Structure formats: structure tokens, C-alpha cells
């Protein structure tokens, strides 16, 4: 069954499969891709848990999504991905509200920020975009594996191709710092996380499917968080020429989250020129993002840095 997703947030061109009975947790749900994904999935019947850092904006987003929900009303959960204590509290709250989480959409993040640190001392992009999500998913593994068909979807970026994992200094403690390269590292880390999670699910015989998507060049407020006026000017100029709407950028994420035949370790993005905009299609990913040894090494590093140890093997079918 498919349902229409024409809402005040804009129309998702491909009708979504019916999501009735599924519980979805979305990070970064109060704006941009996360807000549009929340609206689309809620209108398709899902119970949506909207994890947001700013509670005032989050409540406004929940109210807006509730107006288009085709099933249970959405719920707000507090989450600051740059604070592992907040991540732990979010996981506990989500587990208290739902015994099973069917889809975990790890979407929240930061981009092109000046050198800064998370509450726990990690470089902001690496700590927020990767480590926060790694820790959240690890603490929700019991709820995910309680689902008959669990799915983890991570929002990556074409910028992962410019990234490399700085094994000697992933938190950029030296004198040199590049916000763009730090962002690229975090987006490469997203894909390595998906690669290793998919491998662990396969070895364990788990029904969990891990995959990723990217929005292309979408009109969101991600880069406008940057305090550098030149960066913001460049972004504002470029987005008038080559970007698509936030609704359009959400389409690959929604495809990954709802397709009836998800490809483990799959990666989706816009089909158009340079994957900047267009209908969802298989996206190009770097060889580095499929490196087995790097994926395992990053997993071990992430467990050590976050203090979150995943069960190995993963729980099999419920």
C-alpha cells in the first residue's frame, strides 16, 4: 500500500509505502531534512519520535507534523548529539516510550563550523555527526533488534569523497584545522559505520539493514550555522544556482528508509548532474568508504571514545 505525502512541507513525489505500525526515531528533526522526513513518515502512518536539540523549535516542529500525521501523533525527545550524556538520556527516553524501534534515521549534524569541541572534547563535526550517532544507535540496539524488520539509515554527503580518517589525530588537536576536511572526515565515518554495521548484521544473521543516503545540494540551514561570512555568502550564492529544495533533498533518505527491498550497505542520492539534485538513485561512494579494515578500526576507536560497546555478535532475529 502507498500513501500520499502532499503536505504543507511540500510534496514527496514518490508515494511512500504505508508505515502504519512502525516506530521511527529521527535525529535533527526540527528543521530541514529531518523535519521533512518526519512529516512524510508521520503522514504515511508511522509513529515518529522527533529528537531535537532546541526544545522550543522542536515543539513547534512536533505541532506542525502532528497536523499532517496519518497515525499516532509525533513525540518530542531531547537530544544534543554533541553531548554523550544527552545521547544516553535520549536513548533511555526512546526505550521507555517504545519497546521496538523499526527505523532509526540518523540525520542530525553540523557542517563547516569553526574549530570547536563537543561537551566531551571531540572535534565538533566528528563528535556530532559520527560519534553521537554511533553512541545513540549502540544504546538502542535492543529496541532495534526487537523489531521484525529494523533499519538504520545514516545521512552522509558527497563530501565524504574528500574525507579521510585522521587516525593519528581524529579530533584535530594540532595547529592545522580545516572545517571542510573535518566535515568530510565525519561523512566518511558515517559510511564506514554503515559498512561495518551491515557486515555485523550479516555475520549474526540479524534482519537489521544498515544503509545510507545523501541529499545532494539541498536548501537547508546546515551551512548557515557557520559564522564565517564568506562561507555563508558562498553557500547562499551557490544554492541559488545548483541546489534543490529541502523536500527534494529528503527523497533519497525517505527511499532508503522505506523501500520494500533495502540493499544492505546501500547508498542513495539524487540521480542528476554530480548527484546534486534529482530522483533517488544508487549513489557513488569512495573506495575508502568500503574498506573493511578501516571500518573495523573506526568501530573500535568509536567504542573507545564514546564508552559505548555494541554486542558482538548482534542479537539475531527476535
Amino acid at each position: 500500500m502507498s500513501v500520499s505525502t502532499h503536505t504543507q512541507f511540500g510534496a514527496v513525489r514518490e508515494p511512500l509505502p504505508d508505515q502504519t505500525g512502525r516506530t521511527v526515531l529521527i535525529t535533527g528533526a526540527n528543521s530541514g531534512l529531518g523535519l521533512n522526513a518526519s512529516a512524510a513518515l508521520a503522514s504515511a502512518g508511522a509513529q515518529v519520535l522527533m529528537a531535537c536539540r532546541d526544545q522550543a523549535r522542536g515543539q513547534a516542529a512536533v505541532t506542525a507534523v502532528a497536523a499532517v500525521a496519518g497515525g499516532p501523533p509525533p513525540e518530542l525527545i531531547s537530544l544534543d548529539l554533541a553531548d554523550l550524556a544527552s545521547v544516553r538520556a535520549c536513548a533511555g527516553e526512546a526505550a521507555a516510550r517504545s519497546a521496538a524501534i523499526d527505523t532509526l534515521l540518523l540525520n542530525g549534524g553540523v557542517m563547516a563550523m569553526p574549530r570547536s569541541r563537543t561537551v566531551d572534547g571531540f572535534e565538533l563535526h566528528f563528535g556530532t555527526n559520527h560519534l553521537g550517532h554511533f553512541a545513540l544507535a549502540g544504546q538502542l540496539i535492543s529496541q532495534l533488534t526487537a523489531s521484525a524488520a529494523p533499519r538504520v539509515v545514516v545521512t552522509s554527503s558527497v563530501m565524504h569523497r574528500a574525507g579521510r580518517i585522521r587516525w593519528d589525530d581524529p579530533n584535530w588537536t594540532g595547529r592545522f584545522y580545516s572545517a571542510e576536511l573535518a566535515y568530510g572526515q565525519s561523512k566518511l565515518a558515517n559510511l564506514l559505520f554503515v559498512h561495518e554495521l551491515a557486515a555485523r548484521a550479516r555475520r549474526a544473521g540479524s534482519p537489521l539493514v544498515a544503509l545510507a543516503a545523501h541529499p545532494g545540494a539541498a536548501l537547508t540551514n546546515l551551512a548557515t550555522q557557520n559564522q564565517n561570512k564568506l562561507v555563508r555568502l558562498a553557500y547562499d550564492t551557490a544554492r541559488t544556482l545548483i541546489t534543490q529544495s529541502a523536500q527534494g533533498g529528503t527523497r533519497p533518505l525517505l527511499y532508503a528508509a522505506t523501500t520494500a527491498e533495502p540493499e544492505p550497505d546501500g547508498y542513495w542520492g539524487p540521480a542528476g548532474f554530480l548527484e546534486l539534485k534529482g530522483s533517488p538513485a544508487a549513489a557513488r561512494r569512495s573506495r575508502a568508504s568500503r574498506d573493511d579494515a578501516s571500518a573495523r578500526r573506526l568501530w573500535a576507536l568509536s567504542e573507545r571514545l564514546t564508552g559505548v560497546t555494541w554486542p558482538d555478535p548482534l542479537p539475531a532475529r527476535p
Side-chain angles (χ1 to χ4, degrees), residues 100-104 137 140-147 150-152 208:
I101 292 176
D102 302 286
T103 302
L104 182 59
L140 288 174
I141 192 61
S142 294
Q143 286 66 45
L144 284 164
T145 53
S147 167
R151 194 174 306 197
V152 175
L208 187 149

Side-chain angles (χ1 to χ4, degrees), residues 249-312:
T250 308
R251 293 164 68 194
L253 279 67
L254 290 172
Y255 181 87
T258 65
T259 180
E261 298 182 356
E263 175 189 355
D265 200 25
Y267 182 43
W268 297 89
F273 178 66
L274 297 179
E275 299 182 10
L276 296 177
K277 54 185 175 181
S279 299
R284 184 168 65 90
R285 60 192 291 179
S286 68
R287 181 178 300 178
S289 73
R290 291 186 180 276
D291 186 83
D292 294 341
S294 293
R296 291 192 296 269
R297 185 178 181 184
L298 178 65
W299 192 282
L301 174 65
S302 301
E303 287 191 329
R304 179 171 63 81
L305 292 176
T306 64
V308 175
T309 301
W310 288 60
D312 188 16

Side-chain angles (χ1 to χ4, degrees), residues 28-31 50-62 76-81 86:
N30 64 274
S31 65
M50 299 174 64
C52 307
R53 180 175 61 87
D54 187 314
Q55 292 299 280
R57 294 177 62 195
Q59 188 55 61
V62 165
L76 178 64
I77 297 181
S78 178
L79 170 64
D80 182 352
L81 287 163
S86 175

Side-chain angles (χ1 to χ4, degrees), residues 7-204:
T7 75
Q8 69 187 79
F9 301 91
V12 175
R13 297 177 191 177
E14 298 81 9
L16 297 184
D18 186 7
Q19 298 296 296
T20 300
R22 290 186 69 81
T23 297
V24 182
L25 190 152
I26 303 175
T27 68
N30 64 274
S31 65
L33 304 175
L35 177 57
N36 280 278
S38 296
L41 291 165
S43 69
Q47 166 71 73
V48 179
L49 305 179
M50 299 174 64
C52 307
R53 180 175 61 87
D54 187 314
Q55 292 299 280
R57 294 177 62 195
Q59 188 55 61
V62 165
T63 299
V65 172
V68 301
E75 299 180 18
L76 178 64
I77 297 181
S78 178
L79 170 64
D80 182 352
L81 287 163
D83 181 348
L84 289 179
S86 175
V87 171
R88 183 168 55 252
C90 174
E93 183 64 24
R97 297 194 194 189
S98 181
I101 292 176
D102 302 286
T103 302
L104 182 59
L105 183 47
L106 302 175
N107 165 78
V110 295
M111 174 183 176
M113 299 292 283
R115 186 199 290 257
S116 49
R117 307 244 159 238
T118 69
V119 170
D120 304 282
F122 308 129
E123 189 279 323
L124 187 62
H125 297 89
F126 187 60
T128 302
N129 299 350
H130 169 61
L131 292 176
H133 281 140
F134 178 91
L136 179 64
Q139 291 173 97
L140 288 174
I141 192 61
S142 294
Q143 286 66 45
L144 284 164
T145 53
S147 167
R151 194 174 306 197
V152 175
V153 180
V154 182
T155 301
S156 187
S157 167
V158 294
M159 281 293 292
H160 86 273
R161 300 174 199 157
R164 71 176 183 86
I165 306 299
R166 294 165 55 92
W167 299 111
D168 58 335
D169 187 20
N171 286 304
W172 297 77
T173 60
R175 293 182 62 184
F176 172 72
Y177 179 76
S178 165
E180 290 70 27
L181 293 180
Y183 177 71
Q185 174 183 250
S186 73
K187 295 290 102 177
L188 174 58
N190 289 155
L191 287 176
L192 286 170
F193 164 62
V194 166
H195 187 65
E196 177 62 12
L197 181 54
R200 288 176 174 235
R202 182 177 63 252
R203 291 196 300 268

